[in-house]
Amino acid sequence: MSQIKLLAASLFLLLIAQIQVFGQQKFTISGYVKDEATGEFLPGANAYIKESMQGTATNAYGFYSLTLPAGQYTLVISFLGYNDIETTIDLKADIRKNVSLGSKAIQAKEVVITETRIENNVNSTDMGRVELQVEQMKKLPAFFGEVDLVKIVQLLPGVKNAGEGNTGMYVRGGGPDQNLVLLDEAVVYNAAHLLGFFSVFNSDAVKTVDLHKGGMPAQYGGRLASVLDISMKEGNSKNYKVNGGLGLISSRLTVQGPIKKDTSSFIVSGRRTYIDVLAQPFIKPDSPTKGSGYFFYDLNTKVNYRLSDKDRLFLSGYFGRDVFTFKSTESNFNIRIPWGNATVSARWNHLFNDKLFLNTSLIFSDYQFESNIEQTSFSFKVGSGIRDYNAKTDFTWYPNVRHTVRFGLNYIRHRFTPNNASGEIAGEELDFGPTVYLYAHEAAAYIGDDFDITEKLRIHGGLRASWFAQTGPFTRYYNNDNGLKEDSTVYNKGDIVKAYPNVEPRLMLRYTLNKSSSIKASFTQNYQYIHITSLANQSLPTDLWFPCTALVKPQFGTQYSLGYYKNFKDNTWESSIEGYYKTMKNQIEFKDGVLPSSGVNDNLDNYLTFGTGEAYGAEFFLKKALGKTTGWIGYTLSWTTRTFPELNGGKKYYARYDRRHDLSFVLSHEISDKLTLGAVFVYASGNLIWLPNSMYFFEGKPVVNYGDRNNYRMPAYHRMDLSLTWTPNKKPDKRLKSSWNFSVYNVYSRLNPYFIYLETSGSALDGTLKNTANMVSLFPIIPSVTYNFSF
């Protein structure tokens, strides 16, 4: 409650600040900032007054607004990689100023940095936030011919790769379900292909990537750890363009262009792996696994239409699937496992006036996993998933040059499909009960303000009110101590089973020490109403999404952060040091002894147990942003623990994704106009697993003693990747542009651990019985060649 009072006091300062000198006449400069070549909006571009250095950044749709007293000003519009535009404004009335920026080559000898440049690393209130422009990310190391957005995000401090063969990422001690991943505002529940080797995001279709891992603004909610907000390109509204890549493992193709020039455009982008197709001719016809394989594909589409200068429509969609098949001709045993995401986002932008911007969205998200097994007269099918229907409206209000206020509403209708099974033997249907769906409502209202109190002190104050309710139809089963059903309660359609109303305060401060350095602090509280339940040590597509119920309370996280930010050599170098401390309540795990079949014809939450978590650490980041040589070094020192009364004897233990050290080195160097070298090196402490530490015999039967939970740390994970991009002809007037990418993943073929299993050999009778730990690895050195083209 004290934190809420503190936030309320901050918002009161906002109201006091609105009491302006009303006799002073003010007017507004507003407009949109676009890419001159493509007509795409430029989110995050700087719009500021040169004389006072006061300004703002364009929103996600390229809109900016500055309200100032009447007078003469120099308006500067700037964006990294583009030529600045300076315009003298005689502000006597409201002015609409739409701007198109032309791109420029980012080379050390060509870049002119002046003191007028606004540097968000130092000046913003954002903590733990990283904004990445895809066109700049493409200068980083490319593997298999394309830049993988999620893999680049995992190279940032505080963000940990879950390891090879894992689909999740871990941010500041949070689990894989504690990350909100958005694609054009639609939730993506599984962001990986090929067990994490590829992400589901095709870089050719993506415009911006925005990561929040520290202070989360009030417009985001529903997760404890982070937000990964990804925006797709709108499509070139000037000219038709085709680009793609042909590789050994996968190929991709993107087509974009105007439907009506400068008014409407489209983009269609697709990818597919085909190692399954290429490998089939080399598999002998009599091979026992002939017909087995794996592939993935995805498709991104988007269209937009400008109805007027005040109204715009956007419609975007994504569909992707991974498919694994196994066929054994000898035993007539077949497996087919498809899984993947589908999303649709329909959005309407409306400009009420020069100060008030509206975006309204209708969103559909779906994730499905299915496993089909057949053998002779037996078949078995198990599936799970989650489906969302989402409506939201977001306002951005620019009352004056010192304030940017965001507020809005959000509603989500969830439908969960926990483990559901069906099957038959010799034509007789197996009875696993009817398909079970769980339903829930989630709603939120928020307000947040970026407020310059003085020239040195800036705050972001926000408040988010959230509400979640599980609803019927639903049957609650009550089990006795032996796990047998004793009673039940039936809830009809629409009945509220359990509701959770909550308030989430957000507060971030920035104090500027000088033009090149600042101190920032943040305090955030978040509630999370949906969770992943998993029996595996890895994050896999089989993980189940599960809602809050009467037994499963919302996860609740509180995070404190403090950081120092410093830029060097005219903003060529950026650096930061951030420390954080986070507590997490109502964490969930399966009880000891639970089997995958548990929960069938029962409530899954009857097999869950609940505890608390704690995470703290420090992140160090040094980045070279400009010049022929760019890249960064990131290092994280961290601790992550969990305490469950029913696990590990109630003693605190380290979480399986606790990593003491995490180091990343990223380099991109222009050797010449035609050659670019990329390099990545990563090192991380090994994940923790739970292995037996002793075994003895009782009445002739072996008894295994596991000791403390997560008692063994696997060997450290490290690898180096190299890439070389050769562009034979870079003439700007050449219609066909092409390049060759040569890459090597895991250069020195480090056998990084995937999992460890115990193998028993010998006999207890002669005293030769022993257990041997064996490590399984997935990916050795993998070379690749890809031809990229555009015209």
Side-chain angles (χ1 to χ4, degrees):
M1 187 61 67
S2 61
Q3 294 92 341
I4 297 176
K5 290 180 179 179
L6 176 63
L7 182 64
S10 301
L11 295 177
F12 178 72
L13 289 175
L14 184 159
L15 297 175
I16 295 297
Q18 297 295 355
I19 304 175
Q20 306 286 339
V21 181
F22 291 101
Q24 191 175 26
Q25 196 170 16
K26 294 187 177 183
F27 300 102
T28 301
I29 314 166
S30 64
Y32 292 90
V33 180
K34 295 183 177 182
D35 184 307
E36 185 179 58
T38 66
E40 294 244 7
F41 297 115
L42 294 178
N46 294 310
Y48 62 97
I49 300 303
K50 187 175 183 178
E51 290 80 5
S52 65
M53 292 301 296
Q54 292 180 318
T56 188
T58 57
N59 67 8
Y61 302 94
F63 179 76
Y64 74 94
S65 177
L66 298 170
T67 299
L68 301 159
Q72 286 196 340
Y73 301 95
T74 303
L75 174 67
V76 181
I77 307 293
S78 68
F79 196 56
L80 182 64
Y82 291 80
N83 294 305
D84 296 357
I85 288 184
E86 293 190 9
T87 307
T88 300
I89 301 292
D90 188 7
L91 195 59
K92 297 179 181 178
D94 292 340
I95 296 174
R96 177 63 54 83
K97 183 68 176 176
N98 296 329
V99 175
S100 295
L101 297 182
S103 63
K104 63 182 176 183
I106 303 182
Q107 297 179 5
K109 61 183 180 182
E110 295 177 352
V111 175
V112 178
I113 308 292
T114 67
E115 291 185 354
T116 61
R117 177 180 170 183
I118 288 183
E119 184 45 65
N120 288 332
N121 180 56
V122 173
N123 288 346
S124 74
T125 56
D126 299 326
M127 287 201 71
R129 182 184 182 186
V130 181
E131 293 179 276
L132 301 169
Q133 302 296 324
V134 171
E135 294 307 313
Q136 302 304 319
M137 291 172 67
K138 287 183 177 180
K139 296 181 179 293
L140 298 176
F143 302 101
F144 306 110
E146 59 179 295
V147 173
D148 191 293
L149 309 181
V150 173
K151 283 192 176 296
I152 287 179
V153 168
Q154 291 172 349
L155 295 171
L156 297 169
V159 184
K160 300 179 181 181
N161 181 349
E164 289 178 348
N166 288 257
T167 62
M169 65 179 185
Y170 303 102
V171 179
R172 291 190 171 181
D177 62 330
Q178 294 178 359
N179 305 305
L180 178 63
V181 181
L182 302 172
L183 179 63
D184 273 0
E185 299 187 77
V187 177
V188 177
Y189 283 99
N190 187 308
H193 288 305
L194 191 55
L195 299 179
F197 201 75
F198 288 87
S199 77
V200 301
F201 305 111
N202 184 347
S203 61
D204 289 344
V206 171
K207 179 165 64 175
T208 61
V209 178
D210 193 1
L211 172 70
H212 296 264
K213 56 187 173 72
M216 193 181 296
Q219 62 263 33
Y220 295 112
R223 300 294 188 276
L224 298 191
S226 75
V227 177
L228 184 62
D229 193 350
I230 297 174
S231 299
M232 288 174 54
K233 293 178 180 177
E234 286 103 33
N236 194 316
S237 65
K238 304 286 187 180
N239 301 290
Y240 292 100
K241 185 177 179 181
V242 177
N243 62 283
L246 302 173
L248 299 178
I249 296 176
S250 66
S251 289
R252 64 195 194 281
L253 181 68
T254 300
V255 180
Q256 58 182 314
I259 298 174
K260 183 178 180 181
K261 193 169 184 179
D262 295 326
T263 301
S264 178
S265 63
F266 75 94
I267 183 170
V268 178
S269 186
R271 289 188 302 175
R272 192 192 192 279
T273 57
Y274 38 69
I275 195 69
D276 59 317
V277 177
L278 297 179
Q280 287 304 312
F282 302 97
I283 300 176
K284 295 180 179 180
D286 58 350
S287 171
T289 58
K290 178 72 173 179
S292 300
Y294 166 85
F295 66 92
F296 76 76
Y297 62 88
D298 51 37
L299 178 70
N300 296 79
T301 62
K302 190 171 185 177
V303 295
N304 72 91
Y305 193 89
R306 182 174 65 86
L307 300 173
S308 67
D309 199 39
K310 290 189 174 183
D311 294 279
R312 288 169 171 80
L313 297 176
F314 302 85
L315 180 64
S316 59
Y318 168 86
F319 184 83
R321 282 293 181 269
D322 289 64
V323 180
F324 170 76
T325 57
F326 175 82
K327 294 184 179 181
S328 174
T329 56
E330 291 182 346
S331 59
N332 196 26
F333 181 70
N334 300 323
I335 299 176
R336 188 176 188 274
I337 305 176
W339 69 92
N341 305 275
T343 70
V344 178
S345 301
R347 292 179 288 178
W348 168 50
N349 290 172
H350 178 67
L351 192 61
F352 286 99
N353 53 51
D354 292 333
K355 296 183 180 182
L356 187 60
F357 183 94
L358 164 72
N359 179 69
T360 298
S361 304
L362 298 175
I363 302 163
F364 169 81
S365 296
D366 182 78
Y367 173 71
Q368 298 294 327
F369 172 85
E370 188 177 291
S371 177
N372 301 276
I373 301 173
E374 295 180 355
Q375 186 174 28
T376 316
S377 60
F378 168 78
S379 66
F380 178 74
K381 177 180 177 181
V382 62
S384 63
I386 179 172
R387 178 173 293 179
D388 293 343
Y389 299 92
N390 185 349
K392 63 195 294 285
T393 184
D394 302 282
F395 293 86
T396 308
W397 176 42
Y398 305 88
N400 56 55
V401 74
R402 289 187 176 272
H403 292 269
T404 301
V405 181
R406 295 176 177 85
F407 57 96
L409 302 169
N410 186 17
Y411 166 78
I412 305 173
R413 171 65 163 169
H414 296 289
R415 191 194 76 177
F416 300 84
T417 310
N419 257 344
N420 284 284
S422 63
E424 63 177 44
I425 297 178
E428 293 292 327
E429 186 173 328
L430 300 174
D431 183 16
F432 292 99
T435 299
V436 176
Y437 296 108
L438 300 178
Y439 299 93
H441 300 282
E442 185 173 355
Y446 73 88
I447 183 171
D449 181 28
D450 288 306
F451 172 26
D452 289 317
I453 298 178
T454 68
E455 297 302 320
K456 289 183 174 293
L457 182 60
R458 188 180 198 187
I459 72 166
H460 170 86
L463 197 63
R464 183 180 181 90
S466 58
W467 178 82
F468 185 91
Q470 183 196 3
T471 61
F474 175 70
T475 302
R476 164 60 65 191
Y477 298 106
Y478 303 98
N479 299 341
N480 59 26
D481 294 338
N482 296 320
L484 301 176
K485 295 175 188 171
E486 286 188 335
D487 199 0
S488 65
T489 302
V490 177
Y491 296 88
N492 296 318
K493 183 179 179 179
D495 290 349
I496 293 180
V497 180
K498 181 67 176 179
Y500 294 98
N502 288 297
V503 177
E504 308 170 34
R506 316 283 173 82
L507 182 63
M508 286 157 269
L509 306 173
R510 180 229 65 202
Y511 184 79
T512 301
L513 300 175
N514 51 52
K515 291 182 179 180
S516 63
S517 62
S518 64
I519 295 174
K520 302 180 186 180
S522 70
F523 162 80
T524 58
Q525 289 189 330
N526 299 66
Y527 283 90
Q528 179 169 330
Y529 300 103
I530 64 175
H531 328 271
I532 277 181
T533 55
S534 176
L535 287 170
N537 282 325
Q538 294 85 23
S539 177
L540 297 171
T542 55
D543 293 344
L544 303 178
W545 286 92
F546 197 78
C548 283
T549 65
L551 299 182
V552 180
K553 294 179 173 57
Q555 297 184 54
F556 175 56
T558 301
Q559 182 174 210
Y560 306 87
S561 300
L562 181 66
Y564 173 72
Y565 300 78
K566 173 72 176 177
N567 288 2
F568 302 91
K569 293 190 175 181
D570 293 329
N571 297 320
T572 299
W573 292 84
E574 299 177 1
S575 67
S576 64
I577 301 174
E578 288 189 28
Y580 66 90
Y581 176 74
K582 181 194 296 185
T583 59
M584 295 165 280
K585 297 180 180 179
N586 303 324
Q587 303 300 284
I588 65 173
E589 292 280 0
F590 276 109
K591 296 176 181 178
D592 288 339
V594 172
L595 301 174
S597 58
S598 301
V600 176
N601 286 327
D602 199 351
N603 301 134
L604 186 66
D605 53 1
N606 284 329
Y607 302 89
L608 300 175
T609 185
F610 311 97
T612 61
E614 187 179 44
Y616 50 95
E619 301 168 1
F620 304 84
F621 190 55
L622 177 64
K623 175 183 177 182
K624 189 173 186 293
L626 300 169
K628 287 189 174 183
T629 301
T630 58
W632 67 78
I633 299 174
Y635 171 71
T636 305
L637 176 67
S638 62
W639 292 261
T640 303
T641 62
R642 296 291 186 268
T643 305
F644 284 75
E646 293 186 280
L647 300 179
N648 203 47
K651 297 182 295 182
K652 181 183 293 187
Y653 62 92
Y654 288 109
R656 64 176 179 264
Y657 33 84
D658 170 80
R659 285 183 178 173
R660 195 69 61 249
H661 306 284
D662 196 282
L663 173 71
S664 61
F665 174 80
V666 180
L667 173 71
S668 178
H669 175 67
E670 281 190 34
I671 300 172
S672 67
D673 289 343
K674 296 183 178 181
L675 289 174
T676 301
L677 174 69
V680 166
F681 175 77
V682 293
Y683 173 90
S685 302
N687 287 341
L688 292 169
I689 58 174
W690 196 14
L691 292 178
N693 56 15
S694 64
M695 184 175 68
Y696 60 92
F697 285 84
F698 180 75
E699 296 182 350
K701 296 181 179 180
V703 178
V704 177
N705 178 22
Y706 274 84
D708 288 343
R709 200 175 185 89
N710 297 336
N711 57 353
Y712 179 79
R713 188 176 294 276
M714 291 195 290
Y717 179 100
H718 58 87
R719 74 168 202 275
M720 175 179 283
D721 308 328
L722 294 175
S723 74
L724 183 68
T725 302
W726 175 48
T727 307
N729 195 327
K730 295 188 73 172
K731 293 181 180 179
D733 56 346
K734 188 176 177 64
R735 181 168 178 79
L736 175 62
K737 298 179 175 62
S738 62
S739 65
W740 289 89
N741 177 263
F742 307 90
S743 64
V744 182
Y745 178 89
N746 198 1
V747 171
Y748 50 88
S749 201
R750 162 73 174 177
L751 296 179
N752 286 302
Y754 174 45
F755 66 84
I756 292 176
Y757 69 93
L758 294 180
E759 184 178 24
T760 302
S761 60
S763 171
L765 298 177
D766 59 10
T768 60
L769 182 68
K770 66 176 182 177
N771 286 323
T772 304
N774 297 309
M775 186 178 75
V776 176
S777 300
L778 288 182
F779 303 120
I781 182 172
I782 304 177
S784 180
V785 179
T786 303
Y787 173 72
N788 296 307
F789 61 88
S790 66
F791 57 87

